[in-house]
Amino acid sequence: MEYKKIEIIPLGESHLRIHDLKTEKVLFIAEGGFSTKIERSSVISDKMFGQINSTSGTSIIRVIKGYDEEQIIRPEVNTNLLYSRSIFPSLQGKIHSGAHRLISMLSGVIAQNKKKLILFLPKCLKKTVPHLNLFEPH
């Protein structure tokens, strides 16, 4: 696998992660969101979006391009440095040989800074960062 470019674009309390890569093999891919504590948490998720609300904060991940699905991960106990029992949203996928562009949007807000989170939709991103050609084949 060869990375062509990795880019992180800040968007307030969110950011875009963009990975341009080329592979000659089939790869299973994963992108991880921010961990939070599992106690008293609630989850909102569907195939392309995951959000975890907890007393320590909110963690959000959204597929923009290149991933197959969102999954909520509950790691083994005591595998996180901050929380003995943690949870985080992730994106999973499988890519075949060739050039690929993987794009995700992540947000993380700690509890004391919580305010209304604005969830950007792909058409809004097209206006925000038009120079990236987020929606064109790569």
Side-chain angles (χ1 to χ4, degrees):
M1 183 185 74
E2 174 186 347
Y3 266 107
K4 297 291 188 181
K5 180 173 67 171
I6 300 171
E7 195 167 358
I8 296 177
I9 300 172
L11 296 169
E13 292 175 340
S14 302
H15 67 274
L16 288 178
R17 292 182 188 170
I18 302 169
H19 304 275
D20 290 327
L21 56 95
K22 186 176 181 179
T23 180
E24 295 179 8
K25 299 179 181 181
V26 173
L27 297 176
F28 292 92
I29 56 174
E31 180 80 82
F34 298 101
S35 292
T36 188
K37 61 175 146 181
I38 200 168
E39 293 84 14
R40 296 186 309 214
S41 64
S42 63
V43 173
I44 302 167
S45 71
D46 64 21
K47 186 174 177 169
M48 302 302 207
F49 170 83
Q51 177 173 327
I52 301 166
N53 299 306
S54 77
T55 56
S56 60
T58 298
S59 180
I60 299 171
I61 198 165
R62 179 184 294 279
V63 172
I64 303 298
K65 184 178 183 179
Y67 297 93
D68 298 330
E69 65 180 353
E70 184 278 336
Q71 290 184 355
I72 300 297
I73 306 294
R74 294 167 180 85
E76 293 293 325
V77 175
N78 296 323
T79 57
N80 185 290
L81 294 173
L82 297 176
Y83 313 113
S84 60
R85 295 185 63 227
S86 62
I87 186 171
F88 66 92
S90 73
L91 303 176
Q92 311 285 323
K94 179 179 177 182
I95 59 175
H96 297 275
S97 62
H100 299 274
R101 173 168 271 187
L102 310 172
I103 306 172
S104 58
M105 189 194 76
L106 295 93
S107 300
V109 180
I110 58 175
Q112 65 227 37
N113 294 337
K114 258 189 192 179
K115 55 185 174 184
K116 186 177 179 183
L117 290 175
I118 298 170
L119 303 180
F120 296 95
L121 298 174
K123 64 183 176 182
C124 296
L125 291 173
K126 202 170 196 176
K127 294 176 185 174
T128 307
V129 283
H131 66 284
L132 292 177
N133 296 323
L134 298 179
F135 307 94
E136 302 301 321
H138 192 71

